[in-house]
Amino acid sequence: MIVVTGATGNVGRWLVRALAEAGQRVTAVSRGTAPVSLPSATGHVRADLAAPETLRPALDGAEALFLHDGGTGGVGLDPRAILDVAEAAGVRRVVLLSSQGVVTRPESVSHGGVMRAVEEAVRESGLGWTILRPGVFASNAYAWAESVRAERTVAAPFGDVGIPVIDPADIAEVAAVALRKDEHAGRVYVLNGPAAVTPRQQAEAIGAALGEPVRFVELTRAEARARMAPFMPEASVETSLAVLGEPNAAELKLSPDVEHVLGRAPRPFAEWARRNAEAFR
């Protein structure tokens, strides 16, 4: 049996589905109630990673664990305590959803520092481990959904700076393979998309998926900072703006790891937009 934490998130929902379709018994873990879209025969347990003991009912009989920080960036978690609970329950394999920022922005606590500590705990746990380091998620475009629905407009900074964003479904499918197959133990996979795509091109792709034009409005750096500040710490805002506006060579480098694991190229942003068009209607 495989336990998936963060099961209601952009990656977790796809991972639960991928594992169920592969014939695996799955327990979905989230802090809230079970999502209505859980595949049949998939169990659900409410637990909070910040309180590792709450995981015990989910881990009973489990062989593998997908460890996701639940959107905390690892802040406030005790990864060693979580892994001790998993090992005591008989878990033999853990797949960690980390961040590319561990190596591309090591000076940033929000993007690299905290998750580096989680990675170290996983490596030292004694379990078979695989670490996934995705770059920028295609699903970050959900932030534009309200303005697209209301005004058919996307507003973002750095309109012509491209980054190879990764479809969360590809992350999930890589995780599903790593959770099931021993040969991925001890591996670190960098996951990004097939090509750099700019915010302006993303707006065009959303418009194409809707069958209507979507106008792109370029924000200044200061305007973008003001929009991000109410819900992000200042350090996270500055690092995020740096990634989006001045991506470094490592953040721009196309990784072969999705194709290596899945035997196919990663999905382009346009495919993500078509699959999620209803969110923007």
Side-chain angles (χ1 to χ4, degrees):
M1 191 258 287
I2 296 174
V3 173
V4 176
T5 62
T8 58
N10 289 315
V11 175
R13 287 182 289 114
W14 277 94
L15 177 55
V16 169
R17 182 187 306 179
L19 291 170
E21 290 176 352
Q24 299 292 316
R25 290 197 305 126
V26 184
T27 295
V29 174
S30 66
R31 284 176 293 181
T33 56
V36 295
S37 58
L38 275 180
S40 59
T42 298
H44 177 263
V45 173
R46 294 182 68 173
D48 187 346
L49 291 179
E53 291 296 323
T54 64
L55 282 170
R56 289 191 183 277
L59 294 168
D60 185 28
E63 297 179 352
L65 168 67
F66 177 71
L67 183 56
H68 177 26
D69 61 33
T72 67
V75 175
L77 301 185
D78 183 347
R80 285 181 169 79
I82 294 169
L83 293 162
D84 286 346
V85 170
E87 187 173 13
V91 170
R92 298 183 298 105
R93 178 182 298 143
V94 59
V95 174
L96 172 67
L97 182 62
S98 184
S99 167
Q100 189 181 16
V102 169
V103 291
T104 63
R105 303 283 169 169
E107 75 289 349
S108 168
V109 173
S110 62
H111 284 64
V114 175
M115 286 309 300
R116 186 185 309 110
V118 179
E119 287 192 8
E120 289 172 0
V122 166
R123 292 175 190 269
E124 296 168 1
S125 67
L127 302 175
W129 56 264
T130 307
I131 294 171
L132 310 183
R133 291 178 178 162
V136 176
F137 283 29
S139 53
N140 288 359
Y142 282 137
W144 303 326
E146 184 176 349
S147 65
V148 172
R149 288 194 299 265
E151 303 171 349
R152 291 294 187 255
T153 297
V154 163
F158 318 119
D160 297 306
V161 178
I163 298 175
V165 300
I166 179 72
D167 189 326
D170 284 339
I171 302 172
E173 290 184 24
V174 171
V177 173
L179 286 161
R180 290 161 39 225
K181 298 187 177 181
D182 291 335
E183 62 261 34
H184 300 284
R187 303 290 184 89
V188 177
Y189 293 127
V190 175
L191 308 178
N192 58 25
V197 58
T198 70
R200 195 183 307 276
Q201 290 168 334
Q202 291 179 54
E204 292 172 356
I206 293 169
L210 295 172
E212 300 180 37
V214 170
R215 185 170 63 98
F216 180 78
V217 176
E218 184 155 11
L219 300 177
T220 67
R221 194 185 195 100
E223 288 169 337
R225 182 184 295 109
R227 291 190 179 204
M228 298 164 74
F231 57 90
M232 292 176 66
E234 183 179 353
S236 297
V237 170
E238 294 306 320
T239 304
S240 296
L241 289 172
V243 171
L244 296 173
E246 301 96 25
N248 59 39
E251 288 159 345
L252 293 173
K253 183 179 180 181
L254 301 182
S255 170
D257 289 347
V258 170
E259 187 160 7
H260 168 74
V261 176
L262 301 182
R264 61 162 178 80
R267 297 173 173 94
F269 179 83
E271 184 171 337
W272 179 90
R274 287 192 295 272
R275 198 173 67 245
N276 292 281
E278 286 304 312
F280 298 90
R281 292 199 187 282

